[in-house]
Amino acid sequence: MRAPETWGRSTVHTACPLDCPDSCSLAVDVEQGRIVSIDGSRVAPSTNGFICGKVRRFDRRVYSEDRLLYPAVRAGGKGEGSFRRVPWTEALDLIAARFTEIAREHGGEAILPVSYGGSNGWLSHEATDRLLFRRIGASELARTVCAAPTGAAAAGMYGKMAGVAYEDYQAANLIVIWGCNPAVTGVHIVPHIKEAQKRGAKLVVIDPRMTLLARQADVHVALRPGSDLPVALAMHRHLFEEHGADRAFLDAHADGVDELRAAARAWTFERAADVAGIDAGMLRRVAEMYAAASPAVIRCGWGLERNRNGGNAVLAVLALPAVAGKFGMPGGGYTMSNSAAFGAKPFVWDAPTSTRVVNMNRVGRALTGADPGFAERPIRGLFVYNCNPLATLPDQNRMRAGLGREDLFTVVFEQVMTDTARYADVILPATTFLEHYDLARGYGAYHMHLVQPVIEPVGEARPNVEVFNDILHRMQPGASQGDTFEETDALLQLTTRMGEERTVSMYASGVAAPPFDGRPVQFVTAFPGTADGRVHLHPASLAAETGGTLYEFRPDPATSAFPLALISPATEKTVSSTLGELSTKIAALLLHPDDARARGIQSRDSIKVFNELGEVHCEADVTPETCAGTVILPKGLWMRHTWNQQTANALAPDTLTDIAGGACFNDARVDVALLARH
């Protein structure tokens, strides 16, 4: 499919599928086939004509000097970034031949696809790519690097019930922002929070950082990373023992109440505050504010899942509105991910498989044979797409060692020359969302968009759905044409399964609402999606993962050698690692004045952040914007952003969360030392 005619000056309407809850509608000005500007439109009411700075400058990626313009094969050592240009046919033939050989000699499980779907729509992720890898029997990837614990907790407790809509935050009298920073990830909720504040609503922010909203909050709880669970349990103890939980609601709608109450009983405000490094009086104040306010809403983010207690912490936070009786009115309840509101992706090849599964957080182990199963049956073929694992996965140095294997045939299908792409044997150039069709849905805002190309693909870039289709037909010449298709066929198959009314809306206006009221009220128009329709405060399926008991706190992994907690939150510069190529500045580690003073460090000094896994050489930024004992390096850094080409992920362990095998980035414990005075 071709982009709309854009040789003259015109505005093309499309949408953003990048990993953000908002999924904004866009108005893109194009002149002589080239993007002139990108702005928000009002096609989706929640976008309201404005967008974040990341997407506003996305054309810099489209036309970047790092943009991959044609297929290429390696011409030097792995990691050197030396390649020679080849035609598409030669590149695809080589990939098909090598993967066929690997599958024949070692089995399909010797091939591993590594991808993530956060910044992709329904065509670019798990469409023909999923069909290809299932047909050849490749190893499955458990995409647990983000949202695995939160997703499991929400599904186990509420069946992923639709959450409070952005607009209804204006009705709340208390808003709790817990473990997220909407100013940089999901900015369109912020105007509604500010409007609620104008009406007199109170704002509580629970986050180790002094974020923009934390500065504007009535209470900022700057807790130690990994201590969200005891803080939430102390609030439950207050509700059960002092204030009085909503027994009528719990009797009618919930089970597991006694187990949750028993787990909370030991967590006094004083004990929880001591673990979290906060004031007990402040914690009591927050609990009392929450108990008394109506309506009260919690915006639960993903920051609190990134540690050893992540799944149980999310369970405890999501249980608060049930115990406190906050449902049943606009602006009351919680919001987390609303992606389930749109139903499952309507492809027919999504049935479970029996091939071996690789946890995404331990790809480095799989590639280096650190786990016995992979030492005996190594990964011999790697296909990386929709992902930059060297910049985004934990235990970065082990990941780097795995990518450096000369006997590992690696394909990287990418838009720009990422850190991972430098280790490829074959590079394929991918289109950006401004150059192909897709369907994107919000997981905060309630709408689904038609994403359409605004320009023709730059260079020889091609969309995912077509490339995986071509590889499949090379590897399996007899593959049914009914199962594989070009971009047009894939788009039509998706939209026709959405139902006639939504399909017509999609093609007529570019946006469709979910198949229910777009402003659901929990326990009025939105109810739990659990099998019995009840709230499970102690989900049996999740308890089985932890040995039968939930809400047990695992102590902080800090040691005398590595006493500081390192976190790597999202920033206004990148979407995960996407757009990291646009900055060449050396990163700065944020550390509290007390921690800097104890180490003789000043702002702009050259420092090293280190632990037993690696070390990062960068600059220091001494600031009270982080709490004492916690240091911060931004998420999404590339090798170019530090002096020794390691990032925060080099210091992050590949240990797993208590539930769902998620990433424990925020369990990195480090120390900091001066390298050179500025």
Side-chain angles (χ1 to χ4, degrees), residues 69-71 86-95 413 427-430 459-463 467 470-471 474:
L69 300 176
Y70 45 76
V86 297
W88 266 102
T89 53
E90 181 178 334
L92 295 177
D93 287 346
L94 174 59
I95 293 167
F413 185 20
I427 286 178
L428 302 177
E460 298 180 15
R462 294 181 60 190
V467 170
D470 286 353
I471 295 173
R474 280 170 164 80

Side-chain angles (χ1 to χ4, degrees), residues 13-171:
H13 289 273
T14 186
C16 174
L18 299 182
D19 194 358
C20 166
D22 293 3
S23 190
C24 295
S25 57
L26 304 178
V28 184
D29 286 342
V30 179
E31 186 171 6
Q32 295 185 348
R34 189 177 176 90
I35 297 169
V36 177
S37 66
I38 305 172
D39 208 342
S41 78
R42 289 181 168 77
V43 170
S46 65
T47 303
N48 197 29
F50 75 94
I51 57 173
C52 69
K54 306 175 193 181
V55 177
R56 192 180 300 278
R57 63 188 182 130
F58 200 87
D59 58 315
R60 292 176 59 190
R61 163 167 274 224
V62 174
Y63 303 120
S64 166
E65 63 181 20
D66 291 306
R67 186 71 193 271
L68 297 173
L69 300 176
Y70 45 76
V73 298
R74 181 161 62 95
K78 288 204 170 186
E80 293 179 3
S82 178
F83 298 90
R84 64 176 178 86
R85 179 176 181 174
V86 297
W88 266 102
T89 53
E90 181 178 334
L92 295 177
D93 287 346
L94 174 59
I95 293 167
R98 288 296 303 273
F99 279 178
T100 298
E101 177 185 8
I102 291 170
R104 182 177 61 249
E105 295 184 3
H106 306 285
E109 290 183 341
I111 299 168
L112 176 66
V114 175
S115 68
Y116 194 73
S119 287
N120 299 276
W122 274 0
L123 289 188
S124 299
H125 176 64
E126 294 193 343
T128 53
D129 54 326
R130 192 168 185 83
L131 179 60
L132 166 66
F133 294 118
R134 291 197 164 206
R135 285 282 183 88
I136 64 179
S139 290
E140 289 272 334
L141 184 75
R143 296 183 177 92
T144 50
V145 73
C146 182
T150 47
M157 185 170 284
Y158 292 106
K160 293 191 175 182
M161 177 172 63
V164 177
Y166 287 179
E167 296 84 351
D168 283 340
Y169 275 63
Q170 294 188 30

Side-chain angles (χ1 to χ4, degrees), residues 541-581:
S541 60
L542 300 185
E545 289 190 42
T546 62
T549 303
L550 295 173
Y551 304 112
E552 289 191 350
F553 176 70
R554 300 184 193 177
D556 196 292
T559 65
S560 57
F562 305 117
L564 302 175
L566 170 67
I567 62 174
S568 49
T571 74
E572 73 281 2
K573 301 296 184 183
T574 65
V575 181
S576 191
S577 70
T578 299
L579 299 173
E581 75 278 6

Side-chain angles (χ1 to χ4, degrees), residues 75-272:
K78 288 204 170 186
E80 293 179 3
S82 178
F83 298 90
R84 64 176 178 86
R85 179 176 181 174
V86 297
W88 266 102
T89 53
E90 181 178 334
L92 295 177
D93 287 346
L94 174 59
I95 293 167
R98 288 296 303 273
F99 279 178
T100 298
E101 177 185 8
I102 291 170
R104 182 177 61 249
E105 295 184 3
H106 306 285
E109 290 183 341
I111 299 168
L112 176 66
V114 175
S115 68
Y116 194 73
S119 287
N120 299 276
W122 274 0
L123 289 188
S124 299
H125 176 64
E126 294 193 343
T128 53
D129 54 326
R130 192 168 185 83
L131 179 60
L132 166 66
F133 294 118
R134 291 197 164 206
R135 285 282 183 88
I136 64 179
S139 290
E140 289 272 334
L141 184 75
R143 296 183 177 92
T144 50
V145 73
C146 182
T150 47
M157 185 170 284
Y158 292 106
K160 293 191 175 182
M161 177 172 63
V164 177
Y166 287 179
E167 296 84 351
D168 283 340
Y169 275 63
Q170 294 188 30
N173 286 322
L174 175 69
I175 299 169
V176 180
I177 306 297
W178 200 319
C180 67
N181 183 10
V184 300
T185 54
V187 68
H188 289 87
I189 196 175
V190 174
H192 301 292
I193 294 173
K194 290 183 175 180
E195 186 60 32
Q197 287 182 289
K198 289 179 182 178
R199 292 180 44 260
K202 301 299 183 182
L203 175 64
V204 173
V205 173
I206 302 177
D207 197 302
R209 306 158 294 165
M210 180 62 74
T211 63
L212 178 63
L213 283 178
R215 294 189 189 97
Q216 302 167 1
D218 296 275
V219 183
H220 173 211
V221 182
L223 78 180
R224 185 168 175 81
S227 64
D228 303 85
L229 174 59
V231 167
L233 288 177
M235 294 177 67
H236 280 292
R237 184 182 187 277
H238 174 73
L239 292 169
F240 280 119
E241 308 297 336
E242 298 185 44
H243 180 273
D246 190 335
R247 295 300 317 193
F249 177 88
L250 294 173
D251 290 344
H253 298 287
D255 57 42
V257 178
D258 292 341
E259 291 89 341
L260 174 57
R261 183 170 186 169
R265 188 168 293 125
W267 288 101
T268 63
F269 289 130
E270 290 73 21
R271 183 186 176 201

Side-chain angles (χ1 to χ4, degrees), residues 347-430:
F347 281 122
V348 297
W349 51 75
D350 210 27
T353 65
S354 58
T355 56
R356 69 176 173 183
V357 177
V358 180
N359 186 304
M360 192 171 189
N361 299 302
R362 290 184 166 168
V363 170
R365 286 179 182 251
L367 295 182
T368 57
D371 287 340
F374 294 97
E376 297 164 5
R377 295 190 298 137
I379 298 295
R380 300 177 185 273
L382 188 70
F383 200 117
V384 180
Y385 64 105
N386 298 351
C387 186
N388 182 10
L390 189 53
T392 57
L393 298 189
D395 202 359
Q396 184 179 68
N397 286 322
R398 200 193 304 262
M399 185 72 206
R400 193 192 315 270
L403 289 172
R405 281 174 43 199
E406 284 292 336
D407 65 332
L408 178 69
F409 178 68
T410 301
V411 179
V412 177
F413 185 20
E414 183 53 271
Q415 298 166 5
V416 299
M417 181 61 77
T418 64
D419 293 343
T420 306
R422 298 177 66 85
Y423 286 82
D425 292 288
V426 180
I427 286 178
L428 302 177

Side-chain angles (χ1 to χ4, degrees), residues 618-647:
C618 60
E619 289 189 349
D621 183 358
V622 180
T623 173
E625 292 188 3
T626 182
C627 58
T630 298
V631 294
I632 300 175
L633 267 176
K635 181 181 180 182
L637 295 180
W638 289 26
M639 293 190 299
R640 67 183 67 180
H641 298 134
T642 68
W643 284 308
N644 67 331
Q645 300 192 331
Q646 296 188 35
T647 73

